[in-house]
Amino acid sequence: MAADWLGCLVSINCGPTLGVYQGEVSSVDQNSQTIALKLPFHNGVKCPVPEVTFSAMDIKDLKFLDCSGRVGNSSSASTKVSSAAVQVPKGDPRSVDKVSSPQHCSKSHGDRHLEVPGQPKGFRRRHNSWSSSSRGANQVTPKKNGVKNGNSHMKHRDDECFGDNVDEELDTDFDFEGNLALFDKAAVFSEIDTSRSNGARSRGTPQEQTPSRYRHDENILEAKPVVYRQITVSQPGSKEYCTDSGLVVPSVTYELHKRLLMVAERHGLSLERRLEMTGVCASQMALTLLGGPNRLTPKNVHQRPTVALLCGPHVQGAQGISCGRHLANHEVEVILFLPNFVKMLDAVTNELTLFSKTGGKQVSNIKDLPDTPVDLIINCLDCHENTFLMDQPWYRAAADWANQNRAPVLSIDPPVSGQGLAVEAKWSLSLCLPLPLAEGAGRVYLCDIGVPRQVFQEVGIKYLSPFGCKFVIPLHSA
């Protein structure tokens, strides 16, 4: 009879979805094919309800653990209902994702029936739920006096794992918003800052002021503010310039500029060295203006840029010839205009000799210059001291040709603003320190020709290089 199994300790395996239940049989209903367990354990954890009812269709395996407390007496107490019984330990972490709440624990997962002694098989299907909807908030874990495991150590460990301390409401939702409201962010960060400050003082580190906050592009090791006026001159010009980084570069008078170059030459920075340095920097700037790597590539030899170089018989003309030599060495087609003079400086003659070895073209008549626009015009016609050249016919003819040509103009070492400019330039390149140039000089650039700092100090200039990692930098009107 079904009443023979009341009081037995059984283990019911409901498959991987519902898990394994253990408890004492409280009732068996043959008509509805249900069995109820009181004080049940689900996967080794005490259930929050006092009783659980199972349907025969949900039971995959049923094992009798102990029948010493049953009502009747039957010799078949160890009968196994399922032919494929697999004993699952109480601590097995089975997945119960499909169980939304303990009241919907029983679901139909097959056509399996509960086998009860004395009752034939073949019962109807039925969905069932928990036998009691009441919940016990505080329930005492039943003592396992009836469990015959023969191991006191295991029993003690089970009592520790599944005792009263783990008895909680499993279906209570965690109040995230309420818990977050208890967190005072400002107070916590204030406490952290206070603890850091106290900790630093305890180590002997002075913390008199709050450390500064730095942007991602600022140097955190900077100990003092940047001084943007690092160059001061005894004879300043009428203009001031500044670099891209904000450093102030004052202009100088032509007299101070001339004296600076004379002192540099006395210390070993000869005119030849200055000419070579100026030619390299000016040619590098010109190559950039011509397109740089986008224009001067081996695959673009059929479009070689053309540069017209206008020079006079003076130092500025020698600087332009040096620039043209370097441009010709970089596969630029250079056309040098220099009139035939009876007497020229030795520096000009030497630069012409070197230029003739590069394959560049030299003309002495304006008519031999191109009729079509060139890529760039480099103007070196003007001289700082000899202003009478502007009245010469060759000078006026060259200036008219440059103004009528549609090519942009780069002036190298142009004179000061008071002398005027016959050719308006788009860019101007000054040497060492800028002169106060006129508006027609265009965008001003500064070239480093290698004057040592001690030379600046000797002429009364407090100097700190504004060039950084470059030899040619742009200047802006302050």
Side-chain angles (χ1 to χ4, degrees):
M1 297 297 292
D4 295 341
W5 313 115
L6 299 179
C8 291
L9 295 178
V10 297
S11 176
I12 299 177
N13 185 359
C14 297
T17 302
L18 299 180
V20 180
Y21 290 84
Q22 294 174 339
E24 181 181 346
V25 178
S26 59
S27 66
V28 177
D29 191 342
Q30 298 180 5
N31 296 327
S32 61
Q33 282 291 288
T34 59
I35 183 172
L37 301 182
K38 65 179 180 179
L39 302 178
F41 283 79
H42 178 221
N43 290 334
V45 180
K46 183 180 179 181
C47 293
V49 294
E51 190 177 61
V52 182
T53 302
F54 300 91
S55 176
M57 65 184 68
D58 295 330
I59 299 176
K60 307 299 181 184
D61 186 19
L62 189 149
K63 273 184 172 295
F64 292 92
L65 302 179
D66 187 11
C67 295
S68 60
R70 64 182 179 177
V71 178
N73 186 11
S74 174
S75 60
S76 58
S78 61
T79 302
K80 295 182 181 180
V81 178
S82 176
S83 60
V86 178
Q87 185 174 359
V88 180
K90 291 186 289 184
D92 189 12
R94 298 284 183 168
S95 174
V96 289
D97 294 338
K98 295 183 179 181
V99 183
S100 59
S101 66
Q103 295 183 1
H104 299 84
C105 187
S106 298
K107 294 185 179 180
S108 177
H109 293 279
D111 194 11
R112 188 176 297 272
H113 304 285
L114 178 64
E115 296 182 6
V116 183
Q119 181 70 26
K121 300 181 181 179
F123 296 98
R124 60 183 178 87
R125 296 184 180 181
R126 179 182 176 186
H127 294 279
N128 194 31
S129 60
W130 298 89
S131 60
S132 176
S133 59
S134 61
R135 297 178 179 270
N138 297 316
Q139 298 182 7
V140 181
T141 303
K143 297 183 179 180
K144 303 179 181 178
N145 296 330
V147 179
K148 297 182 180 180
N149 52 18
N151 192 334
S152 60
H153 175 70
M154 295 294 293
K155 179 178 181 299
H156 177 69
R157 188 178 66 176
D158 291 344
D159 291 339
E160 290 181 351
C161 294
F162 312 119
D164 294 338
N165 294 332
V166 297
D167 185 14
E168 297 178 355
E169 288 289 344
L170 300 180
D171 61 339
T172 303
D173 293 334
F174 183 75
D175 188 4
F176 287 96
E177 295 183 359
N179 186 73
L180 185 60
L182 299 177
F183 177 68
D184 190 351
K185 184 177 180 180
V188 171
F189 278 98
S190 176
E191 184 179 354
I192 293 175
D193 294 338
T194 303
S195 61
R196 287 179 178 177
S197 178
N198 294 336
R201 283 196 293 267
S202 64
R203 294 190 300 268
T205 304
Q207 296 288 334
E208 298 296 335
Q209 56 185 2
T210 304
S212 302
R213 297 183 180 273
Y214 297 93
R215 300 194 310 269
H216 67 281
D217 58 344
E218 289 185 318
N219 184 8
I220 64 174
L221 300 179
E222 185 177 358
K224 55 183 179 180
V226 179
V227 178
Y228 290 100
R229 187 175 293 274
Q230 300 177 353
I231 302 175
T232 56
V233 297
S234 56
Q235 300 177 11
S238 59
K239 287 187 176 182
E240 277 192 345
Y241 301 91
C242 63
T243 64
D244 289 338
S245 58
L247 297 178
V248 178
V249 180
S251 63
V252 295
T253 61
Y254 174 71
E255 290 74 15
L256 181 59
H257 192 273
K258 182 179 179 180
R259 184 155 59 95
L260 176 65
L261 297 181
M262 291 177 59
V263 174
E265 188 170 355
R266 189 174 73 246
H267 283 280
L269 190 63
S270 61
L271 176 60
E272 289 76 13
R273 287 191 175 187
R274 300 201 307 269
L275 290 177
E276 189 68 18
M277 194 68 182
T278 303
V280 171
C281 293
S283 62
Q284 183 63 57
M285 180 178 177
L287 290 172
T288 303
L289 297 176
L290 291 171
N294 298 324
R295 180 79 180 273
L296 300 168
T297 60
K299 297 181 180 180
N300 199 25
V301 293
H302 62 287
Q303 292 182 342
R304 292 176 57 187
T306 302
V307 174
L309 188 59
L310 309 179
C311 297
H314 37 63
V315 175
Q316 282 70 29
Q319 294 171 350
I321 299 173
S322 175
C323 174
R325 170 167 55 90
H326 290 289
L327 289 176
N329 289 335
H330 286 265
E331 302 302 323
V332 176
E333 186 176 351
V334 180
I335 303 175
L336 169 62
F337 168 76
L338 182 65
N340 292 325
F341 296 100
V342 177
K343 183 179 180 180
M344 291 187 296
L345 294 176
D346 293 339
V348 177
T349 304
N350 295 335
E351 291 297 332
L352 280 176
T353 303
L354 291 174
F355 177 79
S356 63
K357 308 300 181 182
T358 62
K361 182 180 179 181
Q362 179 183 353
V363 297
S364 59
N365 195 331
I366 294 298
K367 296 180 180 179
D368 296 329
L369 290 174
D371 296 333
T372 59
V374 295
D375 293 279
L376 180 66
I377 296 176
I378 299 180
N379 178 25
C380 298
L381 296 173
D382 298 294
C383 178
H384 292 289
E385 298 178 349
N386 189 1
T387 60
F388 298 101
L389 291 177
M390 300 179 65
D391 298 330
Q392 298 293 327
W394 63 267
Y395 183 98
R396 292 197 302 267
D400 292 340
W401 179 89
N403 290 327
Q404 293 175 4
N405 198 285
R406 297 180 180 179
V409 178
L410 168 63
S411 295
I412 298 179
D413 195 14
V416 296
S417 58
Q419 300 180 8
L421 298 175
V423 179
E424 289 191 1
K426 188 174 183 179
W427 309 280
S428 292
L429 181 63
S430 296
L431 310 182
C432 190
L433 284 176
L435 298 173
L437 302 180
E439 296 297 331
R443 180 78 178 272
V444 181
Y445 284 77
L446 190 63
C447 168
D448 183 12
I449 58 175
V451 178
R453 184 186 301 180
Q454 187 175 353
V455 176
F456 287 97
Q457 295 177 356
E458 189 170 338
V459 297
I461 298 177
K462 180 183 177 182
Y463 180 83
L464 187 62
S465 175
F467 292 95
C469 61
K470 299 180 180 180
F471 283 88
V472 178
I473 58 174
L475 296 181
H476 312 275
S477 298

